[in-house]
Amino acid sequence: KAHKADRLHSWAIAGQELETKARTLAQRLLAENGLEVWYQPIIDGFDGGVRGVEALARLRDVDGRVLTPAEFLPHLKLGELQNLSWQLLTAALQDIGALETEGWLLGLSFNVPAQSFTRYCLPCLRGILAASPVSPDRITMEILEGGDFLDQPVAAEVMAEIRGMGIHLALDDVGTAYASLQRLRDLPIDKIKVDQHFVRALPDHPEDLHFIRVLQDLAEEIGVELVVEGVETAEILDVLLTLGVAKLQGYGISRPLPFKDLRRFLEAPLRLDGVRPATLFGLFAGILSIHAVIKKTLQPLGRQLFVLESALRRDGPYDAALSRLGYTPGEPLHIAYRRYQSMLSRALAGGADSPHNRYWQDVEEALRDLQSQILAERQREIPGNGDEPAP
């Protein structure tokens, strides 16, 4: 205890030494072609077909040990991370091109550091694309959804140029990071990916399914694709399939695979047989979803149905209003209203949504006649315009 300061200092030195060793190892493996590209399939939530893969970096040491991104990414500087992304893309395009010759037309996603969106990245990206037969519109660059780099005008301009090349852009990890709606509005984003940690926690926080539904609606409204990653279990998969999520990724579908294993997965992909929901949590999600649809439909529709019923009922509120205003059955205004009701009923019976419904012309004509008579009666009620107002 008397030498606490020295003891803390020695621990700091030890930590620095470990950091230096880890950094040196990562640098060495990158320089000595230790990079391997592994692939995690992204499936279609409707038929289970593999629509694309996310390319993930691995480093293999000379002893055969494979280092995951969590083990080496924190030890690389920005320039090294950018170089890693370009190496990854180059290697992945070779694999995707090889699969294309075998009949597998897959999309390719890969991560890039957020700070990469400078004008310096454009020549490098163009060079990689020029050397590959893979169409740029099958490539998606995933950007970590954190920090404020994208608020800089140059980043948005560079992103627009990248999209001009045909490449898609995805905002990654939506749900737990910066999460700015303004960012989705202002940036040329084609896809949003829900954060995997958020999705993994759904079994413990089922109320968060509301958030997934909101993102589904948001993606549809702004015209971007929603990809949900972190599908770790069969139960979570059942929930998301019940909700109708279109693109899915996670351990519950497939772990990241070396290229040779990806080939085997493509030959025998995951089957989405069976009726949904298949689990109690899926049932929970389905009821939540259908209730939300019913609520959104019936709340405004309730008023619409009331108005429609009021228009059609012979003893409805408008009939009562005519009587209160002194217009009895047999009078021209009452007859005009009855004709409108009759034409409307006939048109609805013939198919209200049909553009060729011949009865709608009669409805419009009856409505114009009714409106003309109402306005004429109103004019007579105005003092100095002729007849005395109706009682």
Side-chain angles (χ1 to χ4, degrees), residues 47-122:
D47 61 16
V50 180
R51 295 293 178 264
V53 292
E54 181 177 357
L56 302 166
R58 300 290 188 268
L59 294 180
R60 187 178 293 274
D61 204 345
V62 291
D63 61 2
R65 184 171 70 94
V66 176
L67 279 68
T68 64
E71 295 177 274
F72 62 83
L73 288 183
H75 307 298
L76 299 179
K77 295 182 179 179
L78 176 60
E80 294 163 340
L81 290 171
Q82 292 172 334
N83 183 50
L84 172 63
S85 292
W86 305 136
Q87 287 188 47
L88 179 79
L89 176 60
T90 301
L93 285 175
Q94 292 178 356
D95 291 340
I96 294 299
L99 288 174
E100 182 174 354
T101 63
E102 300 171 14
W104 302 102
L105 198 66
L106 301 178
L108 172 68
S109 300
F110 74 107
N111 292 292
V112 291
Q115 296 82 357
S116 294
F117 290 91
T118 67
R119 298 205 173 276
Y120 298 107
C121 82
L122 297 175

Side-chain angles (χ1 to χ4, degrees), residues 51-309:
R51 295 293 178 264
V53 292
E54 181 177 357
L56 302 166
R58 300 290 188 268
L59 294 180
R60 187 178 293 274
D61 204 345
V62 291
D63 61 2
R65 184 171 70 94
V66 176
L67 279 68
T68 64
E71 295 177 274
F72 62 83
L73 288 183
H75 307 298
L76 299 179
K77 295 182 179 179
L78 176 60
E80 294 163 340
L81 290 171
Q82 292 172 334
N83 183 50
L84 172 63
S85 292
W86 305 136
Q87 287 188 47
L88 179 79
L89 176 60
T90 301
L93 285 175
Q94 292 178 356
D95 291 340
I96 294 299
L99 288 174
E100 182 174 354
T101 63
E102 300 171 14
W104 302 102
L105 198 66
L106 301 178
L108 172 68
S109 300
F110 74 107
N111 292 292
V112 291
Q115 296 82 357
S116 294
F117 290 91
T118 67
R119 298 205 173 276
Y120 298 107
C121 82
L122 297 175
C124 183
L125 194 53
R126 289 193 181 99
I128 294 173
L129 293 179
S132 171
V134 177
S135 175
D137 64 6
R138 288 166 53 198
I139 302 171
T140 299
M141 298 174 67
E142 297 186 6
I143 317 148
L144 181 65
E145 199 259 351
D148 59 359
F149 75 98
L150 290 177
D151 298 328
Q152 303 170 10
V154 66
E157 293 172 6
V158 170
M159 291 173 70
E161 288 196 46
I162 290 173
R163 284 191 80 205
M165 300 178 195
I167 295 174
H168 299 289
L169 296 172
L171 198 57
D172 200 5
D173 291 346
V174 172
T176 59
Y178 189 74
S180 169
L181 291 178
Q182 181 181 358
R183 178 170 292 181
L184 288 173
R185 183 195 68 186
D186 295 343
L187 295 175
I189 297 296
D190 302 287
K191 305 177 184 181
I192 54 178
K193 295 191 73 175
V194 181
D195 184 83
Q196 58 181 303
H197 301 293
F198 178 87
V199 178
R200 289 171 181 167
L202 284 176
D204 296 324
H205 302 279
E207 66 280 1
D208 287 348
L209 285 171
H210 291 287
F211 187 81
I212 301 292
R213 290 198 62 264
V214 168
L215 283 178
Q216 282 182 284
D217 291 343
L218 176 64
E220 182 177 355
E221 289 296 325
I222 65 177
V224 302
E225 185 177 275
L226 178 69
V227 181
V228 177
E229 53 183 342
V231 186
E232 306 295 88
T233 66
E235 183 185 52
I236 295 177
L237 177 61
D238 181 56
V239 165
L240 297 174
L241 290 174
T242 301
L243 290 180
V245 175
K247 295 293 185 298
L248 301 158
Q249 174 185 354
Y251 280 19
I253 298 165
S254 172
R255 291 177 173 271
L257 303 168
F259 183 57
K260 65 180 187 301
D261 294 335
L262 174 63
R263 270 198 175 100
R264 286 197 285 267
F265 183 86
L266 292 173
E267 292 170 356
L270 181 73
R271 298 180 61 88
L272 299 182
D273 297 334
V275 179
R276 304 289 171 182
T279 65
L280 280 176
F281 196 17
L283 177 64
F284 176 89
I287 293 174
L288 179 149
S289 179
I290 195 65
H291 176 75
V293 172
I294 292 171
K295 181 179 178 181
K296 286 195 298 185
T297 302
L298 291 186
Q299 281 186 333
L301 185 60
R303 174 61 182 168
Q304 295 170 12
L305 290 174
F306 170 77
V307 171
L308 181 60
E309 183 187 25

Side-chain angles (χ1 to χ4, degrees), residues 11-29:
W11 275 106
I13 292 175
Q16 292 171 2
E17 290 177 350
L18 291 173
E19 165 69 21
T20 300
K21 288 181 179 179
R23 174 170 160 70
T24 301
L25 175 61
Q27 288 177 316
R28 177 175 60 80
L29 293 178

Side-chain angles (χ1 to χ4, degrees), residues 311-312 314 339-350 363:
L312 295 176
R314 288 301 179 103
R339 181 170 179 268
Y340 168 71
Q341 281 184 317
S342 177
M343 294 298 102
L344 183 59
S345 296
R346 188 170 66 170
L348 292 174
V363 174

